[in-house]
Amino acid sequence: MIVCPACSHRNPEGAKLCEACGRSLANFVYRVCPSCGALNSAQHVFCHRCFAELALAEGEEPIPESTFVRPYTPPIVTLEEEVTTQAVHREAKAQASETGARPTSEALPGQTPSEAELGPRAAAPISEEQAVAPSMEGEMGEMPASTEEALSPLEAAESPEVLGGGPVGAAGVETPAVQVAPPDETQALTPEAAANPLEGLDDLLPFEPAVTLPHRPSQHVSAAPSTTEDYEAELFQQVAVERAPLQEGAQVVLPRTAQGLPQIGRTILYILVLLAGVLPLFTWGQMSSFVQPRESVLALVRTIEELPSGAEVLLSFDYSPTYAGELDPLALAVVRHLARRSVRMVVMSTKPEGIGLAEAIYRTITEESPDYRYGEHYVLLGYLPGQEAGLRSLNTALGDAFKIDYLQKRPLGELSATSGLATLKDFDQIIVLSDDSLTVQRWVEQVQAQSDIPFHALVTSAVEPLLVPYQRSGQLLSLIPAASGAVEYELAGSVKPSALFRSDAYAAFFVLLLVVALVTNALYARRGKRGS
Amino acid sequence: MSEVLSGLFGQLSTGTAEVIGPWVAALLTLAVLSYVFGFNPVFRLAEYLFVGLAAGYAGALAWNQVISPRLQLLLTDPSTYWYYGLFFFLGLLLLARAFRPLSTLANLPLGMLFGIGAALALGGALTGSLIPQVRAAVVSVVPEDYGPGLVGWAYALDAVLLSLGTIAVLSAFHFATQGRGFVSALWHGLIRALGRAGRVLLMITFGALFAGVAFTSFALLSSRLVYLAEHWFKLLNRLGL
């Protein structure tokens, strides 16, 4: 079978013209494997994919063996020949010096310095026989790069005459060319030579540069591709892009792509979410009567209720303004509760933006309770850099981590809220508010595990499932998701409600999420049944 | 600079900040919400503004809170706080990263940072996560250990599910091929069955995580909508709009 290069029609063996487009097939002989259907070059006897034998077409003559591409065999120069060449050139040099000829390294009139450096061989015209090795005629492109590189340093070597068969131009002394052994396939390397090709060549200095000099990039001769190369390139392209034939009865399975909601469905969903979001503005917390605080919320409320007046609590506001919408209400509820219990609060942050958010929360607290004063009842330490190293430094000395406070820029020793606090072990409780599970994990690993201080984490709903193992292991005394946790905390702690009315929005969103999940799963199951 | 800015703000009439603040917040909120119509220039403007503000704020805070106080201590009492000079020098070496001929000088502080960070993270993970979590996975499945009656049985069932779930999820990551012999076939079948159950548990976990992310997003949306209604709409009402 012959594939037409113009229209890809598969013609029967022996066809001279394409059945489909009428183009001549004389110069394009692709052979299709009868076993697997792969395209092969006409020169191939076996299929490149399945190694099935490619039978010749009726009347087709086999391709002559002389056109087969053979690997390049480097010429072999024997040691005796090299020694003879050395002796001849030494004699020639001596004669040249006697006759007063210039050294070959100096530039002659009309000769460029580079030519002079390269020696007479570079300056002399190179005949075709010299340029192309006997066995490489017409196959220069297949000559190994290493061979090309091995030749070129020799040209730049101090004694170019080793391989030079041409005249020694400057002296005008004709030196006989070294007889390079022709690449006869019957002449094989001796086992010793094959084991160490450089053996016995230690004294032949001109060979050293060829071995020791760094390889230079070979000079590529730009020439228009021949018809054979074009043919091979086209064949390669076809083979590269063709698909493997399918077994009989096999089915093509296309990748499954998720089908998105239609535009109208998406718009309706957006509107429903928007309505759920603004619902509390109209209902004002009707659903709050159904809210039951979870155990972790009750645990934190109990812990704060049991704290004596003047107890020290460390709060870390480790969240960014992005999540302030969720975490601020819970932070406000907890801080209100702590302030009501007259607990001294020391506030810090491991995120730069967190301390600014904490400042806003405490401004609200100060407005609500003017008796609760900065420096006396609470203090903002500021931002703590260094991640693990920063947290670990809290275990040793609080004053090393924070030199001055955030708002008044005073040393910590001057503030009564921090008097008597040297390390983290002086705190009764640690409460971390975070939008990131890694931050809480870092606190647990670097602080809680080292000091065993009661530790609470108030986090976003997104990261709460990731931290449940720490709660189950007892490392976190309480783990509270902020959105619903704020509502629950206000109920359990009996603090001034500011997030309670949001329970309506959360309930509406829960119902919406449930309905969407059920409907989309039902639709998916129905479509799956139809598809099968 | 800060004095000039405070002077400028001080000249503004009382209540100006209460008017400008909600307007800026409302317009930026709407700019971010405009992403619902695709990646548009208004959203891009808000995004760049937030990123730039956050970077500027972090830089100013690092200078005011971290660098400046320690630099003052070093300058006022160098004999006591000489080690801050060493740290400043190491910090300055980090800047050499910007200049190609000197960039190797930054390897010393970077090596210190990575080395100390890795050592602390590794030690913390071992003592704070790995050992406590392994210890927490070893639980009793005897009901009497948890209390009398149905409550004890419920906790025992919870412990059984915890243990089986842990083993099942770990089995889901078993990819070895089956060996020869009956015992190997039996073991391989058991691991495969447990692995299937583990994958179901993983899916449930991912579902819970996704629900948490959706809920967080909704909480943020709701808070912004409430903010707009409470502050911006009131301003609009005052203006008679």
Side-chain angles (χ1 to χ4, degrees), chain B residues 30-124:
Chain B
L30 291 177
V32 172
L33 290 177
S34 72
Y35 188 72
V36 77
F37 302 112
F39 195 65
N40 58 72
V42 179
F43 173 78
R44 209 177 303 166
L45 175 73
E47 191 183 25
Y48 293 165
L49 195 60
F50 286 145
V51 172
L53 276 174
Y57 181 77
L61 192 68
W63 172 256
N64 280 327
Q65 277 272 299
V66 183
I67 301 174
S68 176
R70 286 163 177 79
L71 200 59
Q72 283 175 10
L73 286 173
L74 175 67
L75 293 176
T76 51
D77 191 2
S79 57
T80 309
Y81 297 104
W82 58 270
Y83 48 86
Y84 285 141
L86 184 66
F87 298 146
F88 276 115
F89 176 70
L90 287 173
L92 286 175
L93 285 185
L94 273 177
L95 299 177
R97 181 62 75 187
F99 308 103
R100 189 175 288 274
L102 304 173
S103 62
T104 49
L105 292 175
N107 289 348
L108 181 64
L110 281 177
M112 275 187 67
L113 281 176
F114 290 140
I116 293 170
L120 286 175
L122 192 67

Side-chain angles (χ1 to χ4, degrees), chain A residues 14-249:
Chain A
K16 301 296 181 193
L17 299 173
C18 176
E19 292 174 338
C21 67
R23 278 190 64 167
S24 171
L25 302 173
N27 295 324
F28 301 96
V29 187
Y30 301 97
R31 199 170 299 288
V32 180
C33 174
S35 175
C36 70
L39 281 176
N40 289 276
S41 165
Q43 294 173 327
H44 289 183
V45 180
F46 296 99
C47 174
H48 72 275
R49 177 182 290 161
C50 67
F51 295 103
E53 188 170 0
L54 302 170
L56 291 174
E58 199 174 320
E60 187 180 351
E61 292 181 359
I63 295 160
E65 198 176 338
S66 59
T67 61
F68 287 1
V69 177
R70 292 188 181 285
Y72 169 70
T73 311
I76 300 166
V77 181
T78 63
L79 180 61
E80 289 177 3
E81 288 166 350
E82 291 297 334
V83 173
T84 310
T85 310
Q86 289 273 342
V88 167
H89 280 285
R90 272 197 293 273
E91 192 179 336
K93 269 189 178 178
Q95 285 179 7
S97 61
E98 283 174 8
T99 54
R102 292 181 187 181
T104 53
S105 59
E106 291 178 18
L108 294 171
Q111 188 184 24
T112 61
S114 61
E115 286 172 338
E117 286 169 11
L118 286 174
R121 192 164 181 268
I126 300 171
S127 64
E128 244 182 84
E129 289 79 13
Q130 287 171 319
V132 181
S135 66
M136 304 187 299
E137 285 176 6
E139 297 173 19
M140 278 299 285
E142 296 179 24
M143 177 178 162
S146 60
T147 310
E148 290 180 351
E149 289 161 5
L151 283 174
S152 49
L154 278 176
E155 293 177 349
E158 294 155 356
S159 302
E161 53 272 29
V162 174
L163 286 179
V168 182
V173 179
E174 195 79 15
T175 55
V178 174
Q179 292 295 319
V180 177
D184 189 358
E185 290 183 14
T186 58
Q187 183 182 356
L189 283 171
T190 61
E192 291 81 10
N196 184 7
L198 297 178
E199 193 172 12
L201 301 180
D202 296 343
D203 298 332
L204 300 177
L205 289 176
F207 271 107
E208 285 186 4
V211 178
T212 57
L213 283 176
H215 287 187
R216 290 184 300 184
S218 59
Q219 293 177 347
H220 294 287
V221 180
S222 59
S226 64
T227 314
T228 314
E229 287 169 340
D230 272 342
Y231 162 73
E232 294 286 347
E234 197 175 344
L235 178 66
F236 177 78
Q237 191 183 2
Q238 289 218 12
V239 169
V241 300
E242 75 173 337
R243 279 169 167 265
L246 294 171
Q247 297 290 333
E248 194 175 345

Side-chain angles (χ1 to χ4, degrees), chain A residues 270 273-274 276-278 280-281 284 322-326 351-356 359 381-383 385 388-389 392 400-407 409 441 444-446 449-450 460-463 465-466 469-470 472-473 475 483-484 501-502 505-506 509-510 513, chain B residues 33 36 54 57-59 61-62 64-66 69-70 73 81 83-84 116-117 119-130 132-133 136 139 155 158-159 162 205 208-227 229-230 233:
Chain A
Y270 287 162
V273 171
L274 204 63
V278 296
L281 293 171
W284 291 103
T322 310
Y323 294 97
E326 183 179 1
K351 288 190 176 176
E353 310 95 326
I355 196 67
E359 186 188 356
L381 292 181
Y383 162 59
E388 282 93 354
R392 190 61 81 96
D400 280 351
F402 297 98
K403 292 292 171 194
I404 51 173
D405 75 299
Y406 175 69
L407 283 184
K409 315 283 186 216
Q441 195 176 331
V444 170
E445 291 176 351
Q446 303 298 335
Q450 316 297 330
T460 57
S461 304
V463 302
L466 296 169
Y470 290 103
R472 288 202 65 133
S473 65
Q475 293 169 284
S484 53
F501 74 106
R502 294 191 185 188
Y506 299 151
F509 182 69
F510 269 129
L513 204 63
Chain B
L33 290 177
V36 77
Y57 181 77
L61 192 68
N64 280 327
Q65 277 272 299
V66 183
R70 286 163 177 79
L73 286 173
Y81 297 104
Y83 48 86
Y84 285 141
I116 293 170
L120 286 175
L122 192 67
L126 199 67
T127 56
S129 285
L130 191 63
Q133 289 302 312
V139 288
Y155 278 108
D158 182 57
L162 173 74
T205 308
L209 282 172
F210 180 71
V213 171
F215 195 58
T216 287
S217 306
F218 176 75
L220 299 177
L221 173 73
S222 177
S223 74
R224 293 319 297 165
L225 292 175
V226 169
Y227 176 84
E230 283 187 346
F233 289 168

